Amino acid sequence: MSFINYSAREINCKLVYYGPGLGGKTTNLQHIYKKVDPSAKGKLISLATETERTLFFDFMPLQLGQIRGFKVRLHLYTVPGQVFYDASRKLILKGADGVVFVADSQLERMESNIESLQNLEQNLGEQGIVLEKIPFVLQYNKRDLPNVVSIEDLQRALNTRNVPWFEGVAPTGVGVFETLKAIAKLVLQELKKKE
């Protein structure tokens, strides 16, 4: 849920990057962080294990400009994708204004994608939220690898809601900002509905 700070005239929105472990969520945030003007971003915090997987979350406030005199600030988080970090995912997901699901396009990761999407629905459901009622976009990451599933098959398996989707190669930035812009636009549309 967005937080409005009237004294600072600031609207803060929380965007969560969700998906299976090693799917590219952290790489998306790292690319965004690298390309954004230093004056428009805060510190990127990344907690990782010795195997370089995200243990808790990444956080990056990113200013978007102003809406009716209020500055809009996005807070970007990733969740740890590994199955045993479900409690962390639930905590990070709490209060999310929008969700980006980063799917791993590799054939051998399809089952993990489906399980992670089901986990997202379940964790939102425990908060009384259905996925259809929250801004949501998909990114099919790792499209540069040779063993990827076709877009048609990914769409059939993961995008039954027909939400916006993007092909991605997060390390080179392909699809990264397109995905961020799409989720930010949906979140801002939701904010305007509440005015």
Side-chain angles (χ1 to χ4, degrees):
M1 175 184 281
S2 57
F3 170 72
I4 300 175
N5 182 338
Y6 287 96
S7 61
R9 301 197 60 77
E10 201 172 81
I11 302 170
N12 293 278
C13 301
K14 181 178 185 179
L15 305 181
V16 175
Y17 281 66
Y18 210 96
L22 297 177
K25 302 175 296 294
T26 297
T27 308
N28 264 269
L29 260 64
Q30 288 171 333
H31 183 79
I32 293 165
Y33 191 80
K34 191 168 62 177
K35 294 294 181 182
V36 169
D37 185 325
S39 66
K41 64 185 179 189
K43 189 175 180 183
L44 177 68
I45 299 168
S46 180
L47 303 176
T49 67
E50 60 275 359
T51 55
E52 297 185 29
R53 301 178 107 187
T54 304
L55 183 61
F56 193 51
F57 65 82
D58 300 329
F59 170 76
M60 183 184 69
L62 174 64
Q63 287 188 348
L64 272 187
Q66 294 198 353
I67 294 181
R68 298 190 182 190
F70 283 81
K71 287 185 280 186
V72 178
R73 202 176 255 273
L74 299 179
H75 299 269
L76 310 181
Y77 292 78
T78 66
V79 298
Q82 299 91 327
V83 174
F84 46 89
Y85 289 125
D86 197 42
S88 297
R89 281 193 296 278
K90 287 178 184 177
L91 188 66
I92 295 165
L93 197 56
K94 198 168 185 172
D97 294 294
V99 177
V100 173
F101 187 86
V102 181
D104 188 328
S105 295
Q106 297 177 94
L107 180 60
E108 63 270 22
R109 300 292 291 160
M110 277 305 288
E111 194 172 317
S112 296
N113 288 328
I114 292 167
E115 286 173 4
S116 182
L117 186 59
Q118 290 169 343
N119 178 258
L120 170 63
E121 291 175 298
Q122 182 182 345
N123 286 342
L124 283 173
E126 289 178 13
Q127 297 177 34
I129 299 168
V130 288
L131 193 51
E132 288 78 5
K133 298 290 183 187
I134 188 169
F136 178 58
V137 301
L138 285 162
Q139 182 188 85
Y140 302 132
N141 195 27
K142 303 189 180 185
R143 298 305 299 168
D144 58 327
L145 298 181
N147 56 339
V148 296
V149 176
S150 71
I151 291 295
E152 293 76 22
D153 287 345
L154 285 165
Q155 285 281 88
R156 224 181 339 269
L158 303 173
N159 196 6
T160 56
R161 295 163 186 85
N162 200 27
V163 298
W165 60 272
F166 302 89
E167 294 187 59
V169 182
T172 60
V174 173
V176 170
F177 277 98
E178 292 84 351
T179 304
L180 177 61
K181 285 177 191 169
I183 192 65
K185 183 178 174 185
L186 291 175
V187 167
L188 293 178
Q189 285 172 351
E190 279 299 307
L191 276 176
K192 286 180 181 172
K193 284 183 195 173
K194 294 174 184 171
E195 285 181 340

